[in-house]
Amino acid sequence: MAWNVFKFCTALRALGSIMIVFVLAVIGLTYYAVVIAHYGPSLFLGSFETFFAIVVLIVFHSLLVMVMWCYSSVVVTDPGGVPPNWRPFTDEEKGDADPLVGSGYGSAQLDPKQSAMVAVSQEIRFCHKCKQFKPPRAHHCSVCRRCILKMDHHCVWVVNCVGALNYKYFLLFLFYTFLETTLVSLLLLRVFMEFFNEGEIDETPGSLAATFITFVLNIAFTLSILGFLIMHITLVGANTSTIEAYEKKTSPKWRYDLGWKKNFEQVFGLDKKYWFIPAYSEDDLRRLPALHGFEYPTRPDLEPLQQH
């Protein structure tokens, strides 16, 4: 029997808040190594060391605030679920389903109203597990056991799905974490360079061990997050999710790809003041329906039936 990775994903529920505790533990260890063990005491050395320590601590704490803000936003923000009894919009005059609705409703046990709607168009999507219609670009999460709007993936690190309503927050979390871990790696590399050059360092064995572990962890996170950042920047540029990139890899054209600028705006909004914080302006929420996860503009040169 073939191994079903999606059924295996349900085991991720067992991790629960353990991953959050692990993340907070890494942050606490990093704070100890950078602030308490090294650059905090450097504030009292005078001259250039004091100035350098002040700059380091300001940048470190600024990035840490953004990491925690973005991380908590991803954790607590609902990625977007399909409301009960949601129905795709239909044009009564034309008798056609909204062209934004994708293909593949499949065969399912539908009630009379649902059957009538499916008869109108072969493009309506239906979730067999939730037993209801689902909007364009929504997918069922086996871990959350519900359909998620513009689902990207279920992230074990945030114990939540990443979808339409928190995807921007997830990207910002990756961005600020990459900057923070890079900074920490460089700062602690400086400590080890001094240790190897001078042959000694004024630290206890416990402090030195904590510094070494912190350095290794931050190097590992920096390299891995860099890969994720590059991947998601590519996805944003093409206006696709991780799931869609896998499903549409054989399709040469993607109907939601409106160009890099408009694709970026569908995730980060139009208001530049909000691009680097986990929030949206009221104007953006009003004028960009894509931020709500139900409607997405499409390329006029591609017909709906070209989506596979």
Side-chain angles (χ1 to χ4, degrees):
M1 179 181 292
W3 181 52
N4 191 328
V5 67
F6 296 104
K7 288 185 178 179
F8 173 76
C9 285
T10 59
L12 294 177
R13 292 192 196 93
L15 292 175
S17 58
I18 295 177
M19 295 307 297
I20 296 179
V21 173
F22 176 74
V23 170
L24 295 179
V26 172
I27 292 175
L29 182 64
T30 299
Y31 192 89
Y32 170 80
V34 174
V35 178
I36 299 177
H38 295 288
Y39 290 92
S42 296
L43 290 172
F44 306 98
L45 296 179
S47 187
F48 174 76
E49 289 296 326
T50 297
F51 173 76
F52 183 72
I54 291 174
V55 174
V56 163
L57 293 176
I58 290 176
V59 176
F60 175 84
H61 283 91
S62 298
L63 290 176
L64 182 60
V65 167
M66 295 309 301
V67 168
M68 296 301 296
W69 185 9
C70 295
Y71 182 70
S72 61
S73 296
V74 181
V75 171
V76 304
T77 301
D78 191 312
V82 181
N85 302 317
W86 180 87
R87 295 290 183 273
F89 172 78
T90 57
D91 189 326
E92 295 180 355
E93 295 181 356
K94 296 181 179 180
D96 295 329
D98 187 343
L100 290 175
V101 181
S103 61
Y105 68 91
S107 59
Q109 298 297 323
L110 308 181
D111 60 39
K113 291 183 179 180
Q114 292 171 336
S115 298
M117 188 170 291
V118 170
V120 170
S121 172
Q122 296 298 305
E123 298 178 2
I124 297 176
R125 303 168 71 235
F126 187 86
C127 179
H128 301 275
K129 297 179 180 179
C130 295
K131 302 302 180 184
Q132 69 175 52
F133 293 107
K134 56 184 178 181
R137 313 185 73 179
H139 292 82
H140 187 87
C141 176
S142 298
V143 180
C144 297
R145 295 180 178 176
R146 60 174 180 149
C147 287
I148 303 297
L149 301 175
K150 195 186 176 184
M151 178 180 172
D152 188 86
H153 68 290
H154 186 93
C155 182
V156 64
W157 291 99
V158 302
V159 198
N160 196 7
C161 259
V162 176
L165 305 187
N166 64 354
Y167 184 54
K168 172 188 174 182
Y169 309 161
F170 175 75
L171 295 180
L172 290 176
F173 168 61
L174 290 182
F175 174 69
Y176 286 116
T177 302
F178 172 73
L179 294 182
E180 181 80 319
T181 54
T182 301
L183 174 66
V184 171
S185 299
L186 293 175
L187 293 176
L188 297 186
L189 177 62
R190 177 175 180 260
V191 173
F192 282 110
M193 289 178 64
E194 292 177 353
F195 172 74
F196 287 113
N197 288 336
E198 299 175 7
E200 60 180 19
I201 192 170
D202 187 20
E203 283 194 53
T204 63
S207 177
L208 187 59
T211 300
F212 177 75
I213 294 173
T214 302
F215 176 72
V216 172
L217 286 175
N218 278 269
I219 281 287
F221 280 126
T222 298
L223 296 177
S224 59
I225 291 174
L226 177 60
F228 277 114
L229 265 180
I230 293 174
M231 181 187 76
H232 281 285
I233 290 173
T234 303
L235 293 177
V236 170
N239 198 357
T240 185
S241 66
T242 300
I243 294 177
E244 290 169 341
Y246 175 78
E247 292 179 342
K248 316 302 178 186
K249 61 183 179 180
T250 58
S251 177
K253 295 182 179 180
W254 179 234
R255 58 187 296 227
Y256 297 108
D257 186 359
L258 307 179
W260 203 96
K261 184 175 183 294
K262 291 186 178 298
N263 295 342
F264 177 86
E265 291 171 350
Q266 284 190 31
V267 176
F268 288 87
L270 296 169
D271 195 332
K272 297 180 180 179
K273 297 190 299 293
Y274 287 80
W275 280 0
F276 294 99
I277 63 173
Y280 292 102
S281 68
E282 292 295 331
D283 288 340
D284 279 350
L285 291 175
R286 184 177 63 253
R287 57 190 171 182
L288 291 175
L291 297 180
H292 297 281
F294 290 95
E295 300 179 9
Y296 299 93
T298 57
R299 292 175 55 178
D301 58 320
L302 295 180
E303 294 296 329
L305 290 179
Q306 285 182 273
Q307 181 184 358
H308 299 288

